[in-house]
Amino acid sequence: MCDDLKNIWLDYRVDKLAECFAPQTGWKHCFESMMVFLEDGLSEYHLSLKENAADGAEPKAENEAAAKVPISFLKFTRNRYKATALPLKQCINVLCTHLSKKYIMQHNLEKMVHLLDLLESFGQFLSRNDVISAELERHFEHSEIICSQDSSGCEDLGCSTSATLCMMRSEVINLLRHLSHNLNLPNVLRRDMVRNFCFQTASFFFCTASGSYSLHEVDIEPLNLLVIDEATQVKECELAIPLQLEGIQHAIVFGDEWQLPAMLHSKVSEKAGLGRSLYERLRSLGHSKHLLDMQYRMHPKISSFPNAKFYQNLILDAPSVTCKGYERHYLRGTMFGPYSFISICEGREEVGSVGESRKNMVEVAVIVKIVQDLFKAWAGSRQKLTIGIISPYAA
């Protein structure tokens, strides 16, 4: 599955949310861990020193010359923050990506985005060389910090890095408290419960016509709009599945009757008319259609034939395909323009061993030669190039 699509794939979404909803390790744990650290980090530091001293294994500085010196508060804070912030940021990213805006509310979404930026800035400031450990320790002595200005303008006012961190710390704590109180998220482990949660909170469902049967089995708010893409290729009997969903009031049907029709393997079913699409039925009943009259993909020399043959020259070419940069010539000669039909009269179809498809080795040789020449012409150009070779022969 490509990265662009995985975020809207149901199983991937369920896996990610199941991790965030887990009672012991999920979002509440991540939020609370960060709040405990930021509010009581100094106590944790001193407790760590005592525990290590009692074990006879004090945490040591990295410098061998200071081998008997305990780890500084700054280094402890850096290590602790890194370990706490990483799962927190991952969890917030999952919530922002996989929860619908209507469920978490716009203001909560904005606060989570701001919290992510603040956590990143806090980590960057904490890693700076001008942070003074003793000064940072003094700031952490107080569990509550009230600042007269926000952290974003602190540097301009001449604040030290430690003071800036103190103000950021206060802002992060306030955001975490607000979100902990306002995010009403479930604490569940079972995947089926998370799956049902995804169905119940979704605003849109993307699925095949036959795959929409699963929506009949879950408790969701009634849907009011059905959009059917490639409607000329979907059998009418298949569309009966989504059309029976509760609440559907409007259906928008997209399709092109000049492209591939619905496919049927059964001759009996085909004779019975089961291969007809809803699009075809509506057209036969005299329903009007609206032509989308702008094409954005084909070079005008390619679109001219189907436009004249099937669409009465009603299709317009978008500016993006008429500009000079859209036409590329990697090889010289008229044969290598936007498209060419090449007649290979010497080619002969051959039948291979039992179970193998037909093949035409002369056509293969010509294709290989064209690709080789194309590669030579393209090499060194630093332009992006992709080549697609489609054959009706499996062999």
Side-chain angles (χ1 to χ4, degrees), residues 150-181:
D150 63 39
S151 57
S152 60
C154 192
E155 274 201 309
D156 297 333
L157 296 172
C159 299
S160 69
T161 302
S162 298
T164 303
L165 283 168
C166 175
M167 294 177 185
M168 286 184 177
R169 169 190 168 214
S170 177
E171 193 173 356
V172 169
I173 291 172
N174 289 333
L175 281 172
L176 288 170
R177 282 178 179 168
H178 174 88
L179 290 170
S180 295
H181 180 73

Side-chain angles (χ1 to χ4, degrees), residues 207-381:
C207 58
T208 61
S210 57
S212 66
Y213 79 92
S214 58
L215 298 179
H216 290 273
E217 301 173 346
V218 291
D219 182 21
I220 59 175
E221 291 291 322
L223 305 174
N224 53 31
L225 177 64
L226 176 65
V227 179
I228 306 158
D229 193 22
E230 299 292 359
T232 59
Q233 298 182 35
V234 184
K235 295 184 286 293
E236 188 177 22
C237 55
E238 276 187 281
L239 283 185
I241 304 171
L243 283 169
Q244 292 184 74
L245 286 168
E246 182 184 354
I248 297 294
Q249 299 177 22
H250 303 280
I252 301 175
V253 181
F254 288 95
D256 188 342
E257 56 199 313
W258 294 110
Q259 293 187 17
L260 290 173
M263 301 298 291
L264 271 182
H265 296 290
S266 168
K267 296 296 182 183
V268 175
S269 298
E270 187 174 353
K271 287 181 180 180
L274 294 179
R276 179 174 56 185
S277 66
L278 176 63
Y279 190 102
E280 187 180 347
R281 176 192 281 272
L282 293 174
R283 292 290 295 130
S284 69
L285 295 175
H287 286 270
S288 61
K289 63 179 180 180
H290 175 70
L291 178 68
L292 301 179
D293 60 358
M294 183 79 70
Q295 71 90 12
Y296 299 87
R297 292 184 177 183
M298 291 180 281
H299 189 279
K301 290 183 180 178
I302 301 175
S303 67
S304 61
F305 170 73
N307 193 8
K309 180 68 175 176
F310 302 107
Y311 305 103
Q312 293 78 51
N313 288 315
L314 295 175
I315 306 297
L316 304 176
D317 297 307
S320 59
V321 300
T322 57
C323 64
K324 189 176 180 180
Y326 200 77
E327 184 172 358
R328 297 179 178 88
H329 284 278
Y330 291 102
L331 298 180
R332 295 179 181 177
T334 56
M335 184 176 108
F336 300 107
Y339 76 98
S340 296
F341 289 100
I342 304 171
S343 176
I344 305 176
C345 54
E346 295 87 357
R348 295 289 183 273
E349 285 189 343
E350 306 172 21
V351 179
S353 57
V354 178
E356 198 173 292
S357 81
R358 295 174 180 269
K359 55 189 176 184
N360 189 321
M361 297 308 295
V362 177
E363 289 182 355
V364 171
V366 173
I367 291 169
V368 170
K369 174 61 176 168
I370 291 174
V371 173
Q372 287 175 337
D373 291 344
L374 182 57
F375 181 79
K376 290 176 184 176
W378 166 80
S381 68

Side-chain angles (χ1 to χ4, degrees), residues 37 45 59-63 70-82 126 131 133 136:
F37 162 63
Y45 171 64
K60 301 296 191 298
E62 290 183 355
N63 191 341
I71 188 173
S72 68
F73 178 67
L74 174 59
K75 185 165 181 62
F76 170 84
T77 303
R78 284 171 174 169
N79 293 340
R80 184 78 168 79
Y81 179 78
K82 185 177 180 180
L126 195 60
V131 183
S133 183
L136 185 66

